[in-house]
């Protein structure tokens, strides 16, 4: 069953996700770092390091949001980084951040849907996605589009929440994710649903080996899953 942010609305998942991120965009960065105690920053760094070996010159950051993963990818010294997202609110916050940090000439943020990417085949050396794939309306279509725009030999790096499996992290995490995080998230973001949708969408996401098998089916080679911090997040990689 599809997990929706706003269960009482009739619009589809894509529209609801875009609306939700528009709503929480002013507080997104703060809540991200606060609720994860800053671990999300370390996770992004670790994920980007996995691209070092291919020294990508062109990088596409899908579901870029406010651009943090795209910014982290600059450590690889690429020639071109493009970030796409369906939430104008998130992109707006991202553009202001880039301007403030004088990075707006190195990263371009544009409106774009992961399931219908506005790019030619084989265009990018690397595709990166952080905490985006869980929100796609049609996951398989989004992954197929990544494969299409990646050049042969190029690498995909996907960072996403996963479900810790071992005692006592599983229990601690479930308590935090279900009880503490939604209350803080709701109070600060003023969106009643966004931080309830977060644990629900993680729960229903096909993580670990199931996700790896989806990449395999699409044709990605040398696919891998690397769990981070007791399995709270995972990095998935594959080569075209
Ligand atoms: C949790 S945020 C992650 C933002 C950023 N990548 C980060 O690491 O902080 C998820 C983002 O995915 C975007 N998104 C969801 N579905 C999308 C789609 N079909 N195409 C493009 N972006 C999408 C949302 O608008 C949102 O900005």
């Amino acid at each position: 069953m599809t997990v929706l942010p706003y269960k009482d609305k009739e619009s589809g998942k894509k529209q609801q996700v875009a609306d939700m991120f528009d709503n929480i965009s002013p507080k997104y960065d703060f809540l991200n770092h606060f609720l994860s105690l800053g671990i999300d920053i370390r996770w992004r760094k670790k994920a980007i390091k996995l691209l070092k070996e291919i020294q990508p010159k062109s990088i596409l950051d899908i579901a870029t949001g406010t651009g943090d993963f795209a910014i982290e990818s600059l450590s690889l010294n690429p020639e071109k980084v493009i970030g796409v997202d369906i939430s104008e609110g998130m992109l707006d916050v991202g553009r202001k951040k880039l301007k403030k940090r004088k990075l707006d000439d190195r990263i371009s943020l544009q409106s774009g849907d992961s399931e219908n990417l506005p790019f030619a085949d084989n265009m990018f050396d690397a595709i990166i996605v952080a905490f985006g794939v869980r929100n796609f309306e049609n996951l398989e279509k989004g992954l197929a589009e990544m494969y299409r725009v990646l050049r042969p030999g190029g690498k995909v790096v996907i960072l996403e929440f996963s479900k810790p499996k071992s005692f006592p992290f599983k229990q601690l995490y479930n308590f935090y994710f279900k009880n503490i995080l939604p209350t803080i998230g709701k109070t600060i973001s003023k969106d009643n649903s966004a931080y309830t949708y977060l644990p629900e969408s993680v729960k229903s996401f096909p993580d670990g080996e199931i996700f790896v098998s989806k990449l395999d089916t699409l044709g990605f080679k040398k696919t891998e899953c690397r769990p981070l911090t007791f399995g709270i997040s995972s990095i998935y990689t594959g080569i075209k």
Side-chain angles (χ1 to χ4, degrees):
M1 209 184 75
T2 308
V3 173
L4 297 169
Y6 307 110
K7 294 173 186 63
D8 51 341
K9 290 194 181 160
E10 280 181 9
S11 41
K13 179 170 177 179
K14 197 177 295 181
Q15 186 58 51
Q16 290 204 17
V17 164
D19 291 346
M20 180 187 81
F21 281 103
D22 279 347
N23 278 348
I24 65 171
S25 57
K27 299 282 180 216
Y28 175 81
D29 280 351
F30 170 76
L31 275 169
N32 233 2
H33 308 325
F34 181 71
L35 291 171
S36 77
L37 307 172
I39 303 175
D40 63 306
I41 298 170
R42 286 216 316 262
W43 289 338
R44 284 193 195 82
K45 277 190 197 304
K46 209 164 184 172
I48 291 298
K49 276 195 185 136
L50 297 174
L51 284 170
K52 247 185 174 166
E53 58 182 8
I54 67 156
Q55 298 190 337
K57 290 291 158 229
S58 56
I59 300 177
L60 176 65
D61 180 25
I62 297 176
T64 190
T66 62
D68 278 359
F69 210 28
I71 293 172
E72 189 56 48
S73 78
L74 292 177
S75 64
L76 300 165
N77 215 16
E79 284 163 9
K80 176 176 72 180
V81 179
I82 299 177
V84 292
D85 203 283
I86 50 168
S87 162
E88 270 306 319
M90 293 288 274
L91 289 170
D92 253 16
V93 174
R95 288 190 191 106
K96 284 181 189 126
K97 182 160 56 182
L98 292 181
K99 201 156 191 201
K100 205 168 158 192
R101 297 191 195 174
K102 298 192 171 47
L103 295 174
D104 47 337
D105 58 336
R106 300 191 64 197
I107 300 173
S108 119
L109 297 186
Q110 59 187 70
S111 188
D113 180 0
S114 64
E115 291 156 36
N116 190 11
L117 290 169
F119 304 109
D121 298 355
N122 308 321
M123 216 178 125
F124 296 94
D125 297 326
I127 306 281
I128 59 175
V129 197
F131 310 110
V133 289
R134 177 177 39 90
N135 299 295
F136 292 176
E137 189 168 68
N138 186 330
L139 176 60
E140 279 74 15
K141 214 168 162 196
L143 296 178
E145 276 291 85
M146 288 178 206
Y147 190 82
R148 180 182 69 77
V149 301
L150 189 63
R151 71 152 166 87
K155 189 167 184 178
V156 65
V157 175
I158 298 170
L159 175 62
E160 189 51 89
F161 286 114
S162 45
K163 298 173 275 281
K165 297 196 171 46
S166 59
F167 176 84
F169 304 105
K170 179 179 167 182
Q171 285 71 13
L172 283 169
Y173 163 90
N174 281 341
F175 182 78
Y176 175 72
F177 234 47
K178 280 191 199 133
N179 300 292
I180 300 173
L181 178 139
T183 311
I184 301 175
K186 182 175 161 178
T187 311
I188 298 178
S189 75
K190 310 275 185 251
D191 185 299
N192 286 345
S193 306
Y195 289 86
T196 311
Y197 163 78
L198 172 56
E200 286 174 357
S201 61
V202 174
K203 193 173 166 202
S204 74
F205 182 71
D207 62 353
E209 286 313 309
I210 307 175
F211 189 78
V212 171
S213 71
K214 288 185 187 292
L215 295 176
D216 292 338
T217 305
L218 284 163
F220 285 103
K221 304 276 179 265
K222 296 185 181 170
T223 51
E224 272 182 66
C225 167
R226 294 174 178 78
L228 305 170
T229 322
F230 314 112
I232 296 173
S233 274
S234 295
I235 303 173
Y236 304 92
T237 53
I239 304 279
K240 178 171 174 180

